[in-house]
Amino acid sequence: MTRKSQPQRSRSYDSEEHERGACEWCEYALVITLATILLIGVSALTIFWTFFYREGYGWADDIPEKQFNLHPTLMIAGFITFSGFSVLLYRICRCFRRIYVKLLHAIFHALAFPCIVIGFLAVLDFHNKKGINNFYSLHSWIGFVAMGLFGLQYAVGFFSFLLLLICNKGTANFRASLVPIHAAFGVLTFVLGVCACLTGLTEKALFTLGADRYSGLPDEGVIINAIGVAIIAILAVVMYILSRNKFRADARDMRASVDL
């Protein structure tokens, strides 16, 4: 009786394990799909808003506002789209060896870096041309801190990866000690980037449309709000992924990633 029940119990456990594994993979695929759509969609929607309502882009142009238009587009691309992909790839990518995941992580950060720099220079030059004071608003303060942390994170990540290439075994413990610090400040930088983008969109809506017109929710106001909601949705998805240990590489993979 006992011997017969053991195979049945074993088959039951295998079935539950298989079902649980299938559900986890469905959740994994759904979250990745949703995150990809949101990360690409928010930049696409920003570009649409700029061309349809703000007359496109420019630099040395008779219309300084076209130069300013680079600021929201590039900051959203840098702080949200490219940084979001960088965070998610490092967290949940299971298709490649960890060394290649690190390389992809660095590539997306490298794509975000010029976006943030050019976006910052665009608004700084626009303010100087228009005689507008710099760094007076909460948006600019948050953005300045986010840029500083992003630059620091990029330097630390590059330094760690350089040590990996030069002296792998000898620096393994040091690089392993940097991982939790780098990860924590990476999340903080992403959250600050989200805050900077949201406050910047609010400023742009109020300064451009005016409080009275914006309160009437014109079509452009709806688009600006939709961009903000998409950014909040991205933050929610990223935080959900970071909170799920099932998406994290297991301990052996993490140890291997330090040695690779």
Side-chain angles (χ1 to χ4, degrees), residues 48-257:
F48 167 77
W49 165 50
T50 303
F51 276 107
F52 196 81
Y53 293 100
R54 298 286 104 201
E55 300 181 342
Y57 304 99
W59 192 273
D61 198 283
D62 294 334
I63 306 176
E65 284 73 15
K66 286 187 177 182
Q67 178 176 322
F68 177 87
N69 292 342
L70 289 167
H71 178 65
T73 303
L74 291 177
M75 288 303 190
I76 287 175
F79 275 125
I80 307 301
T81 300
F82 290 134
S83 293
F85 273 122
S86 180
V87 171
L88 294 182
L89 278 172
Y90 193 77
R91 176 72 181 211
I92 66 178
C93 187
R94 303 175 180 178
C95 306
F96 309 107
R97 292 175 59 192
R98 295 295 293 179
I99 184 65
Y100 300 132
V101 174
K102 285 187 174 185
L103 186 58
L104 286 173
H105 179 72
I107 288 172
F108 274 104
H109 262 78
L111 291 172
F113 188 80
C115 290
I116 294 171
V117 171
I118 297 173
F120 170 70
L121 293 177
V123 72
L124 188 67
D125 190 54
F126 168 78
H127 278 195
N128 292 336
K129 287 178 179 178
K130 301 287 284 187
I132 302 172
N133 292 331
N134 294 304
F135 305 112
Y136 68 90
S137 66
L138 178 62
H139 161 66
S140 61
W141 286 23
I142 295 173
F144 190 74
V145 173
M147 286 189 296
L149 282 177
F150 181 89
L152 183 62
Q153 282 286 99
Y154 191 83
V156 170
F158 180 79
F159 177 68
S160 177
F161 192 75
L162 192 63
L163 287 179
L164 168 65
L165 297 178
I166 295 175
C167 184
N168 180 14
K169 298 294 184 181
T171 61
N173 290 334
F174 173 71
R175 287 184 290 107
S177 67
L178 285 178
V179 169
I181 300 173
H182 185 64
F185 277 92
V187 174
L188 176 60
T189 303
F190 184 75
V191 172
L192 285 174
V194 168
C195 293
C197 290
L198 292 176
T199 53
L201 287 170
T202 303
E203 276 192 8
K204 179 63 176 175
L206 291 174
F207 291 165
T208 303
L209 301 177
D212 291 339
R213 187 182 170 203
Y214 185 39
S215 64
L217 205 62
D219 291 345
E220 185 176 1
V222 172
I223 297 296
I224 294 173
N225 288 354
I227 295 171
V229 170
I231 292 173
I232 294 172
I234 289 169
L235 178 62
V237 172
V238 169
M239 289 304 170
Y240 175 76
I241 290 172
L242 294 177
S243 69
R244 295 283 284 168
N245 288 328
K246 293 178 181 179
F247 292 147
R248 187 195 298 268
D250 61 30
R252 287 175 299 177
D253 290 338
M254 293 302 293
R255 285 195 297 268
S257 71

